[in-house]
Each structure stands twice: as C-alpha cells, then as structure tokens.
C-alpha cells in the first residue's frame, strides 16, 4: 500500500467543521478510486486560535520547523486576521516563509447551481496569482509614525517628491524574478492542460514600473526557448490557433471582460492584489466563495486552502459550505499524482448539487432546494463518490 503524509491545519472560525467534512470526503474518494491501495496519513500542525490556546503562539516554531523539514504537501482551513490592527496575516506569513509563490485558483461552474449571471457555464478559468510580492509584502508604516516620517522626508529631500506629512505609507515591490517565475508556471499549466490562452492582468497604465513591468516581463517569458514555439501574441494569432494565445488586460477592464465575455478568458496570470480581488469576483459568478478552492505552490511545499476566510459569524453553527476545502483536497490529490480521485470528488459534488440538498449559501440561489448542514452536505457528497 502507498501511504502519503499530508500535514494539516484545521483553521479558525468555520475551519474545524469544514475540515472534518473535507477529510472524510478526501479519504473516502481515495479509498474508492484505489481500492485501499493508497492512503493518506494525516498529521496535524497547529496554527491560529487553536495554536494560541495550546501553546501561546499563533504560529508556533514547531509548526514552521515541521513544515520546513518534513512536509511536501499540506492543506489548511482559513485563518482569522484582525483588520487594521493586531498581528500580521498568518496566511501571508506562511506563503512568504515557504516562498509559496504561485497561488492557483481554478474557477468553474457546477451544473444545477443558479448564480447571479446568465451564463455561469462559460466561466472556466484558472487564476495564477503572484503570492509573495506587491503590497502584500507587508511593508507599510502607520500615519505619523517615525518610520513614515523618515520615508516622507527622504522622498522630499532626495527625490523631490512631495507627500502629505500625515500620510500612511505602503510599499509595492514587484520583481522580474517573482513575476517571471509565476508567469512561467501559468504558461506551463496552460500548455499541459490544453488551455487556449493566458491573460496577463495588470494595472500598468497607472503603475507603469510595477504592474506595467509585470506585463512586459510576461511577454518576455513567452519568447523564452521553452515557450517560443508554443505561444503566440493575441494580435498574431490565427482564427483556429493551436498555440497558447498570450494577451493582456488592464485590471478594471478585466473585471468587466470576465462578466461580459467569459468564454474568451482561460488562464489568468496576475499580481498579488489583483489576484485576490478577481478570485472572489469570479467565485461569485459561479455560485460564491463556498465553492472556491486554491493552492499555494512553492518549489518545496504545496499548501492547499480555500479562497475564502474563516466566516466567524458561522463558526460552530454547522452551516458553512465545506466544498471549497473539499475541492482544494481534490486539487491536492491531482497534484500528488493520485489521478482520478480529484475528478471523482468534482463529479460527486455535481451529483450532490443536482439532488438539491445543499448548504444554505447554495440553497439560497436554488429555487426549491433544501438547506442541509455542513456535516450532512459532506456526507451527501461522500455518498455520491
Ligand atoms: P470570508 O471569506 O470569511 O467571508 C465572506 C463571506 O463569504 C461570508 O460572510 C459568507 O457569506 C461567505 N462565505 C465564505 N465562505 C463560505 C463558506 N464556506 N460557506 C458559506 N459561506 C461562505 O471573508 P471575511 O469575512 O472578509 O474574512 C473573515 C476572516 O477570514 C478575516 O479574519 C480574514 O482575514 C480571514 N481570511 C482568511 C483567509 C485565509 O485563511 N486564506 C482568506 C480570506 C480571509
């Protein structure tokens, strides 16, 4: 029997409930697909509120050490981050500590769901979001702090730039290295998965040397030996083009394009903040965050997690939708090379939705549907594997 270790963090808020449902479905899918010849060994590592209660630290050294020294594959529930004050996001810390530079978020429609748009079935996109740079690098200083004042003084004296002396300051680093490695992953994915296009989403008309450079570096990547015969620029593409079409769109336009022309977009490669925004917007188009999985991939560790947060208002109420974490598990199984088990999970979710017994976030969008709890929805999905 093949046994693979998967390290897990339950998460805060709805985390423990959706994790328990997801683990059950993932185990059952593996068992069904491989008739007991493969199995996951689950190893818990602590982070978030549970870690704080047990160790006094939100992200204990032990967790970092285990993930660094032992783990290749991990999966986590959402972790709460205070807004405007308090500690820095644990999610961002994990992504940066382990250099999980590619955040991959597939968005697809499941038959049977009613959604806010007329043709959700035209949405089938995969977002590749740069995960370590941009304003998420966490380089910012409070208004009136001595650090902010130093920066403002420096900008004035050395660079002749006037900034209001009461301004808060944030820094947006974007590198060629960081942008290119993310864009390479996106193009490779497009080639391996027979996708049609990769769109570079940026705000380069305004932020020319950060967002604009991201776009330019993207076009440089397509000229590299690995890609030059397999990719073509949009303006040079033929009508029945077989190569991957590389195009770019300005971020604000991109938001309307995915609503008005969803069939024209496929893989999207973008900077950190844009990627965060477009992920939730696209998830809404196909039925909401409860169905939005994701992965944070680096060269040594892959950490799978839902796109959504800890939904504190639903914690402990057994009403959250576990699908985003279950689908993150499906991505994980495919990534592990346990092909078939992930697809089996996606099909089971589709069948469960067709039976119209779903969690309240989906029931709300489906006339005649019955609302069931998180645990029960997990069981229904498992029954359909
Ligand atoms: P959220 O994603 O937790 O919730 C937004 C809304 O989406 C909810 O009010 C709910 O209506 C809906 N929703 C999301 N997931 C759902 C599910 N599984 N089932 C049913 N409905 C669901 O976003 P928020 O309220 O902005 O953030 C709450 C906390 O989560 C914050 O502390 C934030 O920092 C954190 N967060 C963590 C992550 C992460 O762990 N990667 C990501 C985003 C936010």
């Amino acid at each position: 029997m093949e046994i693979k270790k998967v390290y897990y963090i339950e998460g805060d808020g709805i985390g423990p409930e959706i994790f328990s449902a997801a683990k059950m479905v993932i185990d059952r899918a593996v068992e069904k697909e491989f008739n007991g010849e493969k199995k996951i060994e689950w190893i818990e590592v602590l982070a978030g509120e549970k870690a704080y209660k047990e160790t006094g630290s939100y992200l204990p050294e032990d967790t970092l050490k285990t993930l660094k020294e032992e783990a290749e594959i991990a999966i986590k529930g959402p972790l709460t981050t205070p807004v405007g004050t308090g500690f820095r996001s644990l999610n961002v810390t994990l992504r940066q500590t382990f250099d999980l530079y590619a955040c991959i978020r597939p968005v697809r429609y499941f038959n049977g769901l009613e959604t806010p748009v007329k043709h959700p079935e035209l949405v089938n996109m995969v977002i590749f979001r740069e995960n370590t740079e941009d304003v998420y690098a966490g380089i910012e200083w409070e208004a009136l702090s001595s650090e902010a004042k130093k920066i403002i003084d420096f900008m004035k004296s050395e660079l002749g730039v006037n900034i209001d002396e009461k301004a808060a300051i944030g820094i947006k680093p974007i590198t060629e290295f960081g942008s290119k490695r993310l864009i390479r992953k996106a193009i490779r994915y497009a080639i391996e998965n027979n996708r049609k296009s990769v769109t570079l989403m940026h705000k380069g008309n305004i932020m020319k040397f950060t967002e604009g450079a991201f776009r330019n570096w993207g076009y440089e990547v397509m000229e590299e030996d690995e890609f030059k015969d397999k990719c073509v620029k949009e303006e040079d593409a033929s009508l029945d083009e077989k190569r991957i079409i590389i195009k770019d769109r300005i971020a604000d336009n991109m938001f309307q394009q995915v609503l008005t022309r969803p069939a024209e977009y496929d893989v999207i490669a973008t900077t950190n903040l844009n990627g965060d925004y477009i992920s939730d917007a696209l998830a809404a188009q196909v039925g909401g965050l409860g169905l939005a999985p994701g992965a944070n991939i680096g060269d040594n560790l892959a950490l799978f997690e839902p796109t959504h947060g800890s939904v504190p208002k639903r914690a402990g109420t057994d009403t959250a939708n576990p699908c985003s974490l279950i689908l993150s598990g499906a991505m994980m199984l495919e990534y592990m090379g346990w092909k078939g088990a992930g697809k089996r999970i996606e099909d089971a979710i589709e069948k469960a939705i067709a039976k119209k017994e779903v969690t309240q976030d989906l029931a709300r969008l489906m006339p005649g549907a019955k609302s069931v709890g998180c645990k029960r929805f997990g069981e229904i999905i498992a029954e359909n594997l």
Side-chain angles (χ1 to χ4, degrees), residues 12 14 18 76-83 89-92 95 105 129 276 280 288-291 296 305-314 319-325 359-362 364:
D12 299 330
I14 59 170
I18 60 171
K76 65 177 274 294
L79 293 167
T80 299
T81 311
V83 177
S89 164
L90 301 175
N91 304 301
V92 174
R95 291 169 196 161
R105 292 175 165 173
R129 164 190 176 198
D276 203 2
D280 278 34
L289 280 170
L291 286 161
N296 302 289
E305 65 170 342
T307 294
H308 64 68
S310 54
V311 199
K313 68 180 179 199
R314 294 204 179 280
T319 55
N321 186 346
C323 282
S324 44
L325 190 55
T359 41
Q360 50 72 40
D361 56 317
L362 303 180
R364 218 164 39 89

Side-chain angles (χ1 to χ4, degrees), residues 58-327:
Y58 283 98
L59 192 54
E61 272 306 312
D62 257 8
T63 295
L64 294 174
K65 189 167 180 287
T66 306
L67 290 176
K68 183 164 193 281
E69 291 174 7
E70 296 173 26
E72 283 173 17
I73 294 174
I75 183 164
K76 65 177 274 294
L79 293 167
T80 299
T81 311
V83 177
T85 155
F87 60 84
R88 207 168 152 229
S89 164
L90 301 175
N91 304 301
V92 174
T93 306
L94 285 169
R95 291 169 196 161
Q96 288 187 344
T97 307
F98 297 103
D99 198 22
L100 307 175
Y101 58 87
C103 175
I104 305 172
R105 292 175 165 173
V107 189
R108 57 156 285 196
Y109 171 69
F110 285 92
N111 268 325
L113 282 180
E114 301 223 0
T115 78
V117 298
K118 282 191 186 145
H119 289 292
E121 73 284 359
L122 297 179
V123 176
N124 187 349
M125 301 181 209
V126 185
I127 300 157
F128 278 71
R129 164 190 176 198
E130 201 293 321
N131 223 9
T132 59
E133 306 191 330
D134 201 351
V135 284
Y136 279 65
I139 310 169
E140 56 171 17
W141 293 281
E142 208 172 345
L144 302 174
S145 63
S146 63
E147 293 90 346
K149 193 173 171 309
K150 257 190 208 159
I151 301 271
I152 292 166
D153 287 348
F154 173 81
M155 299 287 282
K156 188 168 184 176
S157 62
E158 297 292 319
L159 303 173
V161 176
N162 272 324
I163 299 177
D164 189 308
E165 60 182 28
K166 291 185 178 152
I169 299 284
I171 305 261
K172 179 182 175 84
I174 302 271
T175 65
E176 178 176 353
F177 173 77
S179 304
K180 284 190 169 174
R181 69 177 174 171
L182 180 272
I183 294 163
R184 268 184 213 115
K185 252 200 167 29
I187 300 180
R188 249 174 233 145
Y189 175 91
I191 295 169
E192 283 162 14
N193 292 279
N194 297 317
R195 294 284 184 153
K196 285 200 177 64
S197 67
V198 174
T199 304
L200 305 163
M201 173 186 177
H202 60 87
K203 190 67 189 162
N205 53 333
I206 304 297
M207 293 167 271
K208 296 180 194 301
F209 304 126
T210 50
E211 297 272 328
F214 178 87
R215 166 194 174 274
N216 296 344
W217 288 323
Y219 284 120
E220 282 177 22
V221 169
M222 70 171 276
E223 302 297 339
E224 291 175 0
D225 284 348
E226 183 183 351
F227 303 120
K228 67 173 187 258
D229 298 330
K230 297 181 181 134
C231 298
V232 61
K233 265 192 175 175
E234 183 174 30
E235 55 266 36
D236 301 327
S238 62
L239 280 176
D240 62 342
E241 186 58 61
K242 299 279 179 298
R243 291 169 292 180
I244 305 290
I245 299 170
I246 309 290
K247 47 190 168 184
D248 78 279
R249 296 289 181 271
I250 292 175
D252 34 349
N253 179 26
M254 190 71 199
F255 275 87
Q256 72 130 359
Q257 293 282 314
V258 295
L259 277 166
T260 55
R261 298 166 172 264
E264 290 176 22
Y265 296 93
D266 198 336
V267 175
I268 298 172
T270 189
T271 50
N272 208 335
L273 181 61
N274 290 333
D276 203 2
Y277 290 159
I278 195 84
S279 298
D280 278 34
L282 275 174
Q285 273 178 241
V286 294
L289 280 170
L291 286 161
N296 302 289
I297 311 273
D299 291 333
N300 302 311
L301 177 70
L303 173 64
F304 296 80
E305 65 170 342
T307 294
H308 64 68
S310 54
V311 199
K313 68 180 179 199
R314 294 204 179 280
T317 63
D318 190 37
T319 55
N321 186 346
C323 282
S324 44
L325 190 55
I326 294 175
L327 286 166

